[in-house]
Amino acid sequence: MAHESPKRIRNVALVGHRGSGKTSVNEALLFTAGAINRLGSVADGTTVSDSASDEKAREMSISGSFSSFRWEDRKINLVDTPGDPSFVADALAALRVCEGAVFVVNGVMGVEVTTSRLWERAEELGLARIVFVNMLDRERADFFATLEQLQGQLSGRCIAVQIPIGHEHELTGVVDLLHVRAWLSPEGERETKPAEIPSDIAAQAEEYRVKLVEAVVETDEAIMERYLADEEIPGDELASALKNAVVAGELFPVACGVATKNLGTTGLLDLLVEGVPSPAKKPLDAGVDGDDISAFVFKTVADPFAGRINVFRVLAGTINSDSTLVNHRTRGKERVGQLLTLQGKEHEQAQEFTAGDIGAASKLKETVTGDLLLA
């Protein structure tokens, strides 16, 4: 496995209220990126995350689940977190080790209590945030009412980068406002190529594109001057300015779709790659001076075969499978035997993890969640 540059890593937490469809979004992202070859369903208990028997029985996440995959030559580490208030600690822990978060919002229910709580936490941590309004094919789902709620309750800087084509059970696709194109619902297959925007929605798409362009140019003085002089700003320049605004936390793009039908996933993946900063841009500080290698353990998973697995974020240096580290809390030495890459309940052996990456190790003697490993 090649040495992963921190510039090419994206660490993303999937967060939101219970029942917003985070696990289905997780599944759709993995499927579209080619990490899995079929779209599992929460109802059938076949998803990559929510693999534990009690999660299948309740059809909800109880514990954070990890997966990683590649998109546009980036490595994306995705943490699917529980949205139920009883298990919110896992979501808070995930936000600590990620540079960005996707807030999944139920298009029928809109902004709910866990959404607001986690948004405040992400605000404190200065994270890049993307919103995905899900379940737009359900009865009473309303993207525009939800967008207003997001702007009123979370931030006035939530800005639509996509709008739906049709609504409720007549939803047929989404419009990508930035690149002026449409994605039609693949009905659970992989999204193919974008299409022309249907003529009956063209005027509405133009109205929302103007709002997006105005929000983006406000964050970039050079483009602003040209825009005010009535110059047409090319899409790639707008995309670049939007990316900078998202990284800086000045704008929060709102995308939409239906995860169970795999609609809107390609656009969401592109937003992750473009809008979430890499660990190279926003390194986490261990708070300990002078250590060449450091890793923060933010989650412990009990595995029926591998025993206790510690999941960590590498803060500095490179950890490989024969590293010896010191546990900052116990002062004891920990020999890293087996390094693992997690994919839901599956895991495969890894050779090393570099700064900014998220990895796992099994059979560490004394290490628990919250520990710092140093060398």
Side-chain angles (χ1 to χ4, degrees):
M1 194 180 84
H3 196 75
E4 197 68 59
S5 158
K7 286 183 187 157
R8 307 202 84 72
I9 295 172
R10 301 289 183 274
N11 296 313
V12 183
L14 273 180
V15 297
H17 197 82
R18 178 185 173 185
S20 57
K22 292 180 296 301
T23 295
S24 300
V25 171
N26 189 71
E27 193 74 9
L29 292 171
L30 290 173
F31 175 66
T32 298
I36 53 176
N37 53 22
R38 71 185 199 92
L39 199 61
S41 104
V42 172
D44 300 341
T46 52
T47 54
V48 171
S49 61
D50 279 15
S51 54
S53 54
D54 45 359
E55 292 181 311
K56 288 181 185 177
R58 297 191 201 193
E59 291 189 16
M60 66 180 242
S61 305
I62 291 174
S63 173
S65 170
F66 305 90
S67 39
S68 57
F69 55 88
R70 302 196 77 81
W71 184 256
E72 304 285 353
D73 197 30
R74 307 294 195 284
K75 179 183 183 185
I76 298 178
N77 291 319
L78 204 57
V79 190
D80 177 20
T81 69
D84 191 275
S86 324
F87 306 108
V88 78
D90 258 26
L92 294 170
L95 291 177
R96 278 189 69 184
V97 295
C98 293
E99 287 78 26
V102 172
F103 279 76
V104 183
V105 174
N106 177 325
V108 180
M109 306 302 292
V111 176
E112 295 174 90
V113 58
T114 306
T115 325
S116 305
R117 276 184 67 190
L118 293 172
W119 186 273
E120 284 166 20
R121 187 73 189 112
E123 183 77 38
E124 287 165 21
L125 293 164
L127 300 187
R129 276 152 278 168
I130 294 162
V131 182
F132 184 76
V133 180
N134 193 21
M135 302 180 164
L136 286 175
D137 58 339
R138 301 278 175 98
E139 202 172 319
R140 300 197 322 283
D142 186 334
F143 174 77
F144 299 101
T146 303
L147 180 64
E148 265 184 46
Q149 260 197 328
L150 291 165
Q151 290 167 341
Q153 294 180 33
L154 299 183
S155 169
R157 300 193 307 277
C158 288
I159 184 80
V161 292
Q162 296 171 353
I163 60 167
I165 301 170
H167 62 284
E168 296 180 0
H169 58 278
E170 288 169 6
L171 182 90
T172 57
V174 297
V175 173
D176 171 347
L177 299 171
L178 200 62
H179 302 103
V180 196
R181 60 191 182 184
W183 292 96
L184 302 180
S185 176
E187 299 300 313
E189 298 300 314
R190 286 200 172 89
E191 284 181 309
T192 48
K193 290 189 166 55
E196 293 279 311
I197 295 173
S199 56
D200 57 348
I201 196 180
Q204 189 185 30
E206 181 54 31
E207 176 198 340
Y208 277 86
R209 185 170 197 269
V210 169
K211 289 181 183 180
L212 172 61
V213 171
E214 287 180 348
V216 171
V217 298
E218 269 179 30
T219 65
D220 186 311
E221 277 182 31
I223 294 182
M224 178 83 158
E225 283 175 16
R226 290 164 48 202
Y227 180 73
L228 292 174
D230 284 339
E231 194 181 315
E232 180 66 33
I233 312 296
D236 53 351
E237 272 189 64
L238 281 172
S240 172
L242 175 65
K243 174 185 175 178
N244 294 339
V246 176
V247 167
E250 291 172 359
L251 287 178
F252 308 113
V254 180
C256 61
V258 181
T260 52
K261 291 183 175 169
N262 200 31
L263 170 64
T265 320
T266 306
L268 184 56
L269 281 167
D270 288 343
L271 279 172
L272 294 188
V273 165
E274 288 299 323
V276 174
S278 73
K281 277 197 175 150
K282 290 182 91 165
L284 283 185
D285 184 15
V288 180
D289 291 336
D291 284 284
D292 300 330
I293 300 174
S294 58
F296 171 65
V297 177
F298 66 95
K299 171 90 181 139
T300 306
V301 186
D303 183 89
F305 306 107
R308 201 175 68 213
I309 295 176
N310 295 111
V311 190
F312 56 83
R313 157 83 189 248
V314 184
L315 305 179
T318 297
I319 291 178
N320 46 44
S321 48
D322 56 0
S323 301
T324 299
L325 304 171
V326 175
N327 184 316
H328 187 62
R329 176 181 57 86
T330 65
R331 302 287 173 204
K333 284 190 174 174
E334 287 280 22
R335 196 178 160 277
V336 179
Q338 207 176 44
L339 288 176
L340 304 168
T341 298
L342 302 182
Q343 198 77 297
K345 65 178 186 296
E346 308 291 325
H347 35 73
E348 50 192 59
Q349 292 197 22
Q351 299 305 302
E352 60 174 30
F353 291 103
T354 51
D357 212 346
I358 288 175
S362 61
K363 304 185 172 57
L364 296 179
K365 295 198 299 286
E366 301 178 299
T367 298
V368 296
T369 302
D371 281 353
L372 204 53
L373 299 173
L374 307 166

